[in-house]
Amino acid sequence: MIELKHFINGEYTKKEENFRNIYNPSKQKDIGTIPIASEEEILDTIKCANEALKQWSNTPSEKRAEYLYKIAQGLEKRKDDIAKNITLCMGKPLKEALLDVEDAIACYSYYAESSKDIDAENQKIVSLEDTDYNISKRYEPVGVVGLIVPWNFPTVTTAWKVAPALAAGCTVILKPSGVSPIPEHILAEISKEINLPNGVLNILYGGANLAQELTKSEDIAKISFTGSTRVGQELTCISAPSLKNLSLELGGKSALIACEDADIDEVATLACNGIFFNNGQMCSATSRVLIHKNIYTKVLEKLKQKVEELKIGDPLDMGTDIGPLSSKKQFNTVCNYFEIAKEEKLACLTGGKKLDGNYVSPTIYYDVFKTSRLWQEEIFGPILCVNPFDTIEEAIIMANDTEYGLAASVISKDQNQAISIANSLKAGIIWINTDQIVLPQLSWGGYKKSSIGRELGEEGLNSFRELKHIIMPKEKY
Ligand code: NAD
C-alpha cells in the first residue's frame, strides 16, 4: 500500500487525517491512499505558488527550458515504473501506458526546445511598417495556474499542461484525478531529484471541492481543466466572479467516415484502433463510424472478425489489448449503456456483455437510429456504433450532428475528396487515412462543447501567457 502525500513548496506533507483509497481495477483491490486537501492546505499552497512566482517568472527562459529537459530525462529513466503505475491505477494495457510516457517525454522536450528563446524574442524592438512607431511584443506568464486533470491519460494530460505552464514562467498547482494519482506522484519525485525550485510545481490531491476552491480563488490567475463537459460547465460558472482565464478540454463523440473507395481492411483496423485503444476511454474516440453503403456489409464482417480477435486479459501482460475499465463507476456506466441498447432494441454485431471483475466485452451496434442515446452521448467505454450512408453530404451532416466537436477521421483513396470532407467537419483535429496521431507541435482541442482554447503547440504555450505590446515613436530614438 502506497501512502501518497501532498507536495507543497518542495516538501511532502506529514500524515493526513482525511484520505481516500486508490483502487486497482484489474485485481479489484485497494493499492494505496491519497490525502484530501484541507482548506488550510489549499490556501497554504496558493500562497507558496505566488511566492515562488516572483523568482520563477524572472528565471531566464533558457534556464527554465533546462529544467524541462531534466523532467523529460527523469521520465525516461522512470518510464517502466510510471507505465506500470498507470496500468495498476486505471487498467490501461501496459503496452499503451508505455506509449503514454513516451508522449509525455516528447511534450516536455518540445516545450524545452521551443521556449528557450522567449527572453531573446521579448527583447526585440521592431519598426512597424507604414507607421511612425517602433514596437516591442512581449509574452509574459499569466501567473499561478491551477491544473485539473482526469484519469484516462495520466502523465500525458499532465505534461500537456505542466510543460507549457512552466515554460511560460507560471508556477503550478496540479490536481491529479483520485483514480490515477501514483504516476503524478512520480512527477513530484522527479522535480525533487532535479532540484526544481520550491513552490514552482505543487501537487494537491482531493475531489470536487479542491478543484472548485482553486477555480474560485482570486489568487490563481488561470485554470486549465481537462475532464467531462458537465464538470467543465460547473467550473465555468464557479469561475465567473473572478473572471478567470479558463481553458477547457472536454468530452467528445467523434465520427469516422469511410468513403466508397476505402480499403475494407484499413477501415476495420482504423475503426477498431479509434474506439478500442484505452478501452474506449478516450475523449477523441471515434465512437460513431459512418460507412458508405456499398462497402457496409463487408466492413461489418471485417470489424466483427477483428474485434473478436482482441485479447482481453491482465493489463500488465504485454499481449493484452483490452484491460478492465478504469473503476467500478466506469464499469457501471458502460454496463448501463448495454441496458439502454437493449431497451432501444439496437442490433448488436458483437459483445454487449459484462465479463468478470471490471471487464466488459468490446462491443459494436449497427444500424443505430440517430436519436439513440448510444449514438448521441459520450459513453467513454469500448462501444462502437456504426451506420451506413449514401452520399458524402449525408455523411457530413450525420458526423456534425452532435453537441461535441473534438476530432474526426476520414478514410478515402482520393486525397482531394478526403480534404474536402475534413474541411466540412466541425472538429478541431481530423485524421485522414491514419490512426489518431498526436504531435506536440500541433494543437489539440475542438469545437462546440468539446473545448475552450487549444493545448499543445504554440497555442498551448500562449494559453499560459499574456501578450503585451509596447509602442514608441521612431523619431525619439
Ligand atoms: P471528470 O470531469 O469527472 O473529472 C475531471 C477532474 O475534475 C478530476 O480531477 C476530478 O477529480 C475533478 N472533478 C470531478 N467532479 C468535479 C466537480 N463536480 N467539480 C470540480 N471538479 C471535479 O472527468 P473524468 O471522468 O476524470 O474524465 C473523463 C472525461 O474527461 C471525459 O468526458 C473525457 O472526454 C474527458 N477528457 C477530455 C480530454 C480532451 O482533451 N478533450 C482528454 C481526456 C479526457
Side-chain angles (χ1 to χ4, degrees), residues 229 233 250-252 403-405 447-451:
T229 296
Q233 287 164 328
L250 309 171
E403 59 178 346
Y404 298 109
Y447 290 41
K448 301 191 259 182
K449 289 185 184 161
S450 283
S451 303

Side-chain angles (χ1 to χ4, degrees), residues 3 7 20 81 85 107 127 162 242-243 262 342 367 369 395 402:
E3 267 183 47
F7 183 63
R20 186 183 291 171
D81 186 17
N85 276 296
C107 179
S127 162
V162 170
S242 64
L243 276 181
K342 277 184 207 149
D367 293 350
F369 60 98
T402 163

Side-chain angles (χ1 to χ4, degrees), residues 311-463:
K311 188 166 173 258
I312 304 171
D314 181 346
L316 286 173
D317 178 345
M318 284 299 273
T320 294
D321 300 308
I322 304 277
L325 289 159
S326 64
S327 63
K328 193 48 81 191
K329 181 174 169 231
Q330 205 58 27
F331 173 80
N332 290 335
T333 302
V334 171
C335 291
N336 189 39
Y337 277 101
F338 291 152
E339 295 307 312
I340 296 168
K342 277 184 207 149
E343 283 161 25
E344 291 186 342
K345 300 191 170 45
L346 296 188
C348 185
L349 185 68
T350 183
K353 288 192 222 80
K354 291 180 189 183
L355 303 175
D356 287 344
N358 291 306
Y359 287 77
V360 298
S361 51
T363 299
I364 300 179
Y365 296 105
Y366 63 102
D367 293 350
V368 179
F369 60 98
K370 314 303 172 307
T371 52
S372 157
R373 286 186 58 190
L374 280 84
W375 186 257
Q376 291 294 337
E377 296 174 12
E378 182 185 51
I379 298 171
F380 225 57
I383 299 183
L384 178 63
C385 292
V386 189
N387 262 320
F389 69 85
D390 193 353
T391 64
I392 298 288
E393 292 68 29
E394 184 194 354
I396 292 168
I397 290 170
M398 279 160 77
N400 285 336
D401 180 22
T402 163
E403 59 178 346
Y404 298 109
L406 184 57
S409 294
V410 182
I411 308 177
S412 170
K413 292 197 179 93
D414 177 346
Q415 194 182 50
N416 289 336
Q417 170 173 259
I419 292 176
S420 157
I421 295 171
N423 290 345
S424 303
L425 293 173
K426 300 269 177 265
I429 309 133
I430 318 279
W431 294 282
I432 295 179
N433 299 333
T434 177
D435 275 315
Q436 299 197 1
I437 305 303
V438 180
L439 300 166
Q441 54 271 51
L442 304 184
S443 67
W444 182 267
Y447 290 41
K448 301 191 259 182
K449 289 185 184 161
S450 283
S451 303
I452 293 185
R454 291 291 185 274
E455 299 203 292
L456 294 181
E458 199 181 346
E459 290 83 3
L461 180 64
N462 286 342
S463 80

Side-chain angles (χ1 to χ4, degrees), residues 5-9 45 158 172-176 181 184-189 191 201-205 210:
K5 299 283 188 296
H6 303 298
F7 183 63
I8 306 172
N9 207 25
T45 311
T158 301
V172 164
I173 302 173
L174 171 68
K175 187 207 112 37
E184 320 297 18
H185 161 75
I186 297 175
L187 181 63
E189 293 183 343
S191 78
L201 171 67
N202 306 278
I203 302 182
L204 285 180
Y205 303 99
L210 169 58

Side-chain angles (χ1 to χ4, degrees), residues 128-231:
L128 196 62
E129 267 181 46
D130 302 328
T131 76
D132 298 330
Y133 298 96
N134 288 331
I135 58 145
S136 159
K137 186 178 175 186
R138 287 177 60 78
Y139 284 100
E140 298 178 354
V142 292
V144 174
V145 296
L147 310 180
I148 303 165
V149 293
W151 46 261
N152 63 332
F153 284 93
T155 306
V156 182
T157 316
T158 301
W160 291 11
K161 297 183 191 303
V162 170
L166 296 187
C170 300
T171 55
V172 164
I173 302 173
L174 171 68
K175 187 207 112 37
S177 163
V179 176
S180 54
I182 305 177
E184 320 297 18
H185 161 75
I186 297 175
L187 181 63
E189 293 183 343
I190 292 170
S191 78
K192 246 180 133 44
E193 278 158 27
I194 65 166
N195 294 317
L196 188 70
N198 291 347
V200 170
L201 171 67
N202 306 278
I203 302 182
L204 285 180
Y205 303 99
N209 179 59
L210 169 58
Q212 290 165 3
E213 288 304 315
L214 296 176
T215 308
K216 272 185 216 157
S217 172
E218 295 281 349
D219 295 317
I220 291 183
K222 177 188 175 83
I223 291 288
S224 177
F225 170 83
T226 299
S228 60
T229 296
R230 180 188 63 77
V231 174

